[in-house]
Amino acid sequence: MHFSDTHIDPRPSGLVHNEDGRSVKTLKWLAQCSSEPVVQEIYGIEADLPAFAIHTGDVMEYGPVGLAWQDFEQAIAKIACPVSLVPGNHDNTWGEINHLLKGTYGDDSYSFDIGDCHFLCINSSGLLDPLPCLDRRTLDWITTDLEKIPRDKLLFIAMHHPLSGNAGYASEFDKLRLSKLLIGRRVALIMDGHWHTVHCQRWQGIDRVNGGATFGEHTGYNTVTMVDGTLRVMFRYEKESVERLQIVPLLEKKLEDVASISEYSLGVPNEPISGGQLPVQIPKLPRHARLRIWIDSDLEHSLQLPKGSNANNILLDTENLCPGWHFVSARIRGKKRLAITTAERFKLLPVKDAPFLISEANLGAGVKARPLVQDDLIIVANTSGLVVGLSRKLEKKWAYDTHSQVVHSLTAADDRILVGNISGGLHCLRATDGRSIWKISLPNSLYAASGVHGGLAYLADGAGWLHAISLNDGQIRWSREVTSYAFEAQPLVFEDRLFISSWDGFIYAVDCNTGGVIWKSWSPKGHQDVKSRYYGAADNPIVAIGGSLFANNRAWMLGSFALNGDFQAVLQDKVTSIAAGQSDHSLYAKTLDNRLVRIDRKGNRIWDAEVPTGRVPNQPVECAGQVAVLSDTGILTLLACDSGLQTLQYSISPRLYCLSGIGTDGIDTLVAADMDGTVTSLQLLDT
C-alpha cells in the first residue's frame, strides 16, 4: 500500500482528539483495507494481504504539535501491516519530525529489504523551511547505503517531493545529483506525494507515481504488486464518483525491462576558468537523439544541436555570469520522447584585481545555522550536528559533535559558544578550542539561537517554552510554557524584555526576570485580514529601532508595533527578511521580487536596488560600509550602505539552496554556506 499526505491536525495538550478531524476516518478505512487481500481487478490480480505500507510524507498538517504525532501513531497502529514513512514539507516547516523518525526508523532517511527488492526512504524536506532539499548528508547516506547491495538489485524509492515537474527544488542540478548516484542501478519505481494527485510520470527514464491524499479530491491509495515478474500500480479511490473511475490503472511493466540507469556525462574543466567561454565535451549521441544545452537555469538562451549531430566539443558564453559556482545542463531526447538530463558544476574565477579573496571548505553536511565570525575563528554548525572551528582561511582547528541536527541554534557569548540541537541538547563550548564547558538536556527540540543578556541565555524551544539558563554553569533559572507552537527565531532582548514570535501567529513580549507574558499581538497579517498561524512571523528575528518593533511574517508583510504591543502599520509587502541598519534608525528589507530596500522607521524609502534575493528569510548584514545579501541559491551581493550601488557579486553555490544566512565580523569578512556543505569565506581587501 502506498498512501500520502494525511496532514493530521495539530492537537495542543488539553484538547480532545477530534474524530471528525482531517484524515481520521480515511485512516480507519485504510486500516480496514490492509486486512483484506490486494485485488487489482483491472489487471486480473488477486494477491495476499498487503506486506507493508509506505507513507510518502506530509504526515502532519503543522508539524508534531502537542499530541498530533501520538494521534498518527495510534491511527497507523490499526493498519494490519508495517508502515514506513518519509517526512514532507508540512512535517518539517513549522517544526520537524526528524528526531521522531530517528527514534522509530533509525534516522530521517533509511532503507530496508523486502524479498529481492531494496527500498530507499529519502528525506527530501530539509529543515524548518517548505523548500525541498537534497542536502550533502542525505546524498552521502544514499551513496553508503547503495554500496552495500548488488548493483543489479531492484530499487524502490520513497520520497515526498516529486522529481519530475516543478516541486520547488533549487535547480535541476540539485535533483540530478541524486540521478548520478543511481547510474548503473535498476530503479523499478519512485513513489512520492506533495501534489495530492493520481498520475504516473517519468523522471530520467524512471517511472514515478503520486500517492494522492487521505482527504480532498483524490482521497485513496495505491496498490503496488509484483506478480509473475510484472510490476503493477493501481490507485483506488475511497468513494465512487460519477465524474471518474474508482479504480485507476497507473503502471504495468515487466521487471526484466527495468534496465540500469545509463550515464551521459558532460566534460567540463576541473580547474576554475577565467571567463569568456566554457569548453564542454558532450556525450556521443544516439543517431535519432537531439541535445539541448544551457548554463544554470537559463533555458531561454540554450543551444540546440540538430538530430544526429557529430559535435563533441562546444563553447558556451560565460561573459554575463558573476564569478563563482555555476552549472551546465544538457538534455538528451531520444525515441518515444524519452528525455535524460545531465549536469556538471564549474567555477568562474574573479577578475585578476578583484577586491576580495575567497576560501572554501566542505563540512560533509548542509549548513542551516548562521556562521559565527569572531577574532581569528569562523565557527560553523551543520545538519549532522557537528560544530567546527575554522581559521580565517577555513582550515579546521577543532570539531565538536552534538550528535543531532543543528538548525539555527548557534550563538556567541563572549568567549563561549552556545549550540542547541533538535534532540533538545544545549552545549556550551569554549570558542578557542571547542572544549565542552557544560551541557544540559531540555525536553523539546531547540531550533532558535539563544538571546544573551546579563549572564543568562534565553532559549525558545520547539514546543513553545522559554528558558532562562545561566551562562556560567547551565543551571535553569526559569522555564515557562508560552504557547503550544514552535519558536524558531532568536529572541530579541530589549529593555529587560524578550520579544519573540511563535508559529501560533502571535508576537510575544516576555519579562526577562520571570518569563511571564506581558502582551501578545497578532503578526502583521493578522492585523490586516487573515488571523492564521500559517502566516506567523516566526522565521525572522524581531528588530527594534527608534522605540518601535518591526516584524515580517510568512505572508511577506513588514509591520511595525509600539513597545506596548499596539500595532502601528504595514510598511511594505513582499518582504522575506529584515535587518537593522547600524548607523541610523533604518531597516533593510529583502523582498520576493529581487530587491533590497533601505527604509526609515516610517517605511519611507532611502534607496531601492535590484539584486537576487528569493524567499529564504536570511538577513542582510553590514560589513565595512557595505550591506551583503544572499539569494536562495547562493548569489552573494554587496551594495554600498549609503547609496545602494552594487560593489561586488559572487556565487557561492552552483544553484543549491543556501539557508544559512551570512556571518560577519563587520570589518572585512563574510561567511555563508550551502546545503551541499560548502562553506565560503569572502575577505574584503583595502577596507
Side-chain angles (χ1 to χ4, degrees):
M1 301 177 72
H2 165 214
F3 64 105
S4 195
D5 291 80
T6 46
H7 291 257
I8 301 297
D9 290 327
R11 183 158 73 98
S13 300
L15 291 186
V16 177
H17 177 57
N18 181 11
E19 289 293 329
D20 293 318
R22 186 187 287 109
S23 296
V24 172
K25 292 180 179 178
T26 300
L27 282 171
K28 292 180 179 179
W29 171 70
L30 284 174
Q32 177 185 333
C33 295
S34 71
S35 301
E36 302 168 352
V38 175
V39 177
Q40 295 179 326
E41 292 182 358
I42 201 161
Y43 297 129
I45 295 296
E46 182 170 344
D48 295 328
L49 300 180
F52 63 102
I54 287 182
H55 184 315
T56 49
D58 278 0
V59 180
M60 310 279 112
E61 171 67 6
Y62 206 75
V65 174
L67 301 175
W69 179 256
Q70 290 90 321
D71 289 343
F72 175 73
E73 285 189 313
Q74 290 175 13
I76 64 171
K78 298 174 183 177
I79 293 177
C81 59
V83 179
S84 299
L85 64 90
V86 294
N89 49 288
H90 277 256
D91 302 314
N92 276 353
T93 291
W94 301 277
E96 47 73 40
I97 65 173
N98 288 4
H99 68 290
L100 299 169
L101 296 182
K102 187 171 184 177
T104 304
Y105 303 107
D107 216 332
D108 55 315
S109 294
Y110 57 97
S111 67
F112 57 88
D113 291 311
I114 297 286
D116 294 328
C117 302
H118 190 69
F119 288 79
L120 289 170
C121 296
I122 298 173
N123 179 7
S124 66
S125 297
L127 276 174
L128 298 186
D129 204 291
L131 298 170
C133 180
L134 297 170
D135 75 343
R136 172 50 49 197
R137 181 180 62 93
T138 301
L139 295 175
D140 285 350
W141 170 80
I142 295 170
T143 299
T144 301
D145 185 81
L146 291 179
E147 287 173 349
K148 301 173 184 176
I149 64 171
R151 296 190 69 82
D152 60 348
K153 192 161 190 171
L154 276 179
L155 298 181
F156 287 77
I157 296 174
M159 59 195 302
H160 182 65
H161 293 92
L163 292 163
S164 63
N166 182 12
Y169 290 91
S171 62
E172 277 294 306
F173 182 66
D174 192 0
K175 296 186 287 185
L176 293 174
R177 294 178 305 145
L178 172 60
S179 177
K180 285 182 178 295
L181 302 184
L182 301 176
I183 290 171
R185 300 287 180 173
R186 299 175 65 222
V187 184
L189 185 67
I190 300 174
M191 295 167 283
D192 55 44
H194 191 57
W195 282 338
H196 300 208
T197 57
V198 179
H199 69 223
C200 180
Q201 295 179 344
R202 304 194 95 193
W203 175 75
Q204 296 291 84
I206 305 169
D207 291 303
R208 51 154 294 267
V209 293
N210 200 258
T214 55
F215 66 98
E217 182 180 358
H218 297 294
T219 300
Y221 68 97
N222 286 320
T223 57
V224 183
T225 63
M226 290 194 297
V227 178
D228 297 330
T230 301
L231 173 69
R232 299 176 177 92
V233 184
M234 179 193 84
F235 189 86
R236 178 184 179 186
Y237 281 96
E238 181 179 10
K239 297 177 181 178
E240 294 185 22
S241 170
V242 296
E243 299 173 353
R244 49 153 174 78
L245 297 173
Q246 186 176 12
I247 303 298
V248 180
L250 295 178
L251 178 65
E252 183 177 25
K253 68 179 180 181
K254 294 289 186 182
L255 292 172
E256 64 185 23
D257 294 335
V258 178
S260 298
I261 306 301
S262 299
E263 180 175 13
Y264 293 94
S265 59
L266 297 175
V268 298
N270 292 324
E271 298 298 323
I273 63 172
S274 57
Q277 290 185 314
L278 173 71
V280 181
Q281 185 175 23
I282 62 175
K284 184 177 181 180
L285 300 179
R287 187 174 56 172
H288 297 289
R290 298 177 184 272
L291 182 140
R292 183 182 294 273
I293 190 166
W294 64 95
I295 291 179
D296 294 339
S297 299
D298 188 11
L299 273 168
E300 182 180 349
H301 295 97
S302 62
L303 175 65
Q304 169 113 16
L305 299 186
K307 184 187 298 185
S309 172
N310 292 322
N312 56 14
N313 287 285
I314 60 175
L315 295 173
L316 297 178
D317 184 20
T318 62
E319 284 290 347
N320 295 322
L321 301 179
C322 71
W325 288 101
H326 302 269
F327 74 96
V328 58
S329 298
R331 180 171 297 146
I332 302 162
R333 191 178 297 276
K335 292 182 178 180
K336 298 181 181 179
R337 299 187 62 79
L338 177 63
I340 302 294
T341 306
T342 186
E344 296 289 345
R345 67 176 190 166
F346 65 95
K347 186 177 183 181
L348 282 179
L349 289 172
V351 296
K352 185 176 181 180
D353 297 323
F356 59 90
L357 295 176
I358 295 292
S359 300
E360 293 175 339
N362 192 283
L363 299 186
V367 177
K368 186 83 162 61
R370 183 175 62 87
L372 301 177
V373 185
Q374 55 178 182
D375 300 327
D376 61 344
L377 278 176
I378 292 170
I379 300 167
V380 185
N382 68 20
T383 57
S384 71
L386 194 68
V387 188
V388 182
L390 304 165
S391 72
R392 288 300 182 102
K393 293 184 178 180
L394 301 186
E395 301 157 326
K396 185 184 290 187
K397 296 292 187 180
W398 55 259
Y400 178 91
D401 194 352
T402 74
H403 300 290
S404 186
Q405 294 175 332
V406 177
V407 191
H408 304 300
S409 191
L410 187 63
T411 308
D414 296 327
D415 61 344
R416 301 181 178 193
I417 303 297
L418 296 175
V419 188
N421 60 31
I422 68 172
S423 297
L426 178 65
H427 303 258
C428 180
L429 311 179
R430 193 162 60 193
T432 53
D433 57 14
R435 296 289 182 89
S436 175
I437 299 173
W438 52 259
K439 59 184 177 181
I440 60 173
S441 181
L442 294 170
N444 303 310
S445 298
L446 297 175
Y447 308 140
S450 307
V452 175
H453 178 70
L456 294 177
Y458 295 97
L459 273 86
D461 74 23
W465 285 70
L466 289 176
H467 312 271
I469 297 173
S470 169
L471 282 172
N472 184 49
D473 55 14
Q475 295 296 308
I476 299 175
R477 296 291 179 85
W478 55 255
S479 292
R480 296 286 185 273
E481 184 178 17
V482 175
T483 176
S484 295
Y485 294 81
F487 292 113
E488 183 180 342
Q490 184 177 28
L492 168 69
V493 186
F494 186 72
E495 296 184 354
D496 291 325
R497 295 184 182 184
L498 300 176
F499 297 101
I500 191 168
S501 183
S502 166
W503 280 123
D504 62 1
F506 288 97
I507 295 169
Y508 291 87
V510 176
D511 188 306
C512 282
N513 298 310
T514 66
V517 174
I518 299 169
W519 56 257
K520 72 175 185 177
S521 180
W522 279 102
S523 72
K525 179 71 170 176
H527 286 284
Q528 289 298 294
D529 42 32
V530 180
K531 290 177 167 52
S532 170
R533 58 181 175 264
Y534 292 98
Y535 303 120
D539 56 2
N540 219 293
I542 293 168
V543 172
I545 59 171
S548 293
L549 303 173
F550 298 85
N552 69 285
N553 55 24
R554 188 60 74 77
W556 322 121
M557 287 182 178
L558 168 60
S560 61
F561 298 78
L563 292 179
N564 65 2
D566 289 344
F567 179 70
Q568 295 174 331
V570 169
L571 302 182
Q572 188 165 325
D573 61 4
K574 299 183 180 180
V575 174
T576 63
S577 65
I578 57 173
Q582 295 179 2
S583 58
D584 57 10
H585 292 163
S586 68
L587 280 172
Y588 296 106
K590 186 163 73 85
T591 73
L592 281 174
D593 54 355
N594 291 316
R595 309 201 76 79
L596 183 65
V597 184
R598 189 169 193 176
I599 59 176
D600 65 21
R601 60 183 179 177
K602 294 184 178 180
N604 300 312
R605 296 196 177 194
I606 299 171
W607 51 255
D608 181 339
E610 185 174 357
V611 58
T613 55
R615 59 157 306 286
V616 173
N618 48 47
Q619 296 174 284
V621 299
E622 286 190 5
C623 181
Q626 300 170 85
V627 57
V629 59
L630 184 67
S631 77
D632 288 3
T633 55
I635 299 177
L636 180 66
T637 307
L638 270 71
L639 307 100
C641 290
D642 56 357
S643 65
L645 294 177
Q646 182 174 313
T647 56
L648 69 87
Q649 194 169 73
Y650 187 85
S651 178
I652 71 166
S653 178
R655 300 303 183 269
L656 302 174
Y657 280 129
C658 297
L659 309 179
S660 70
I662 310 167
T664 185
D665 60 0
I667 301 171
D668 64 0
T669 301
L670 299 160
V671 183
D674 67 11
M675 293 305 288
D676 201 50
T678 298
V679 180
T680 301
S681 172
L682 187 150
Q683 182 184 0
L684 303 174
L685 303 177
D686 301 325
T687 57

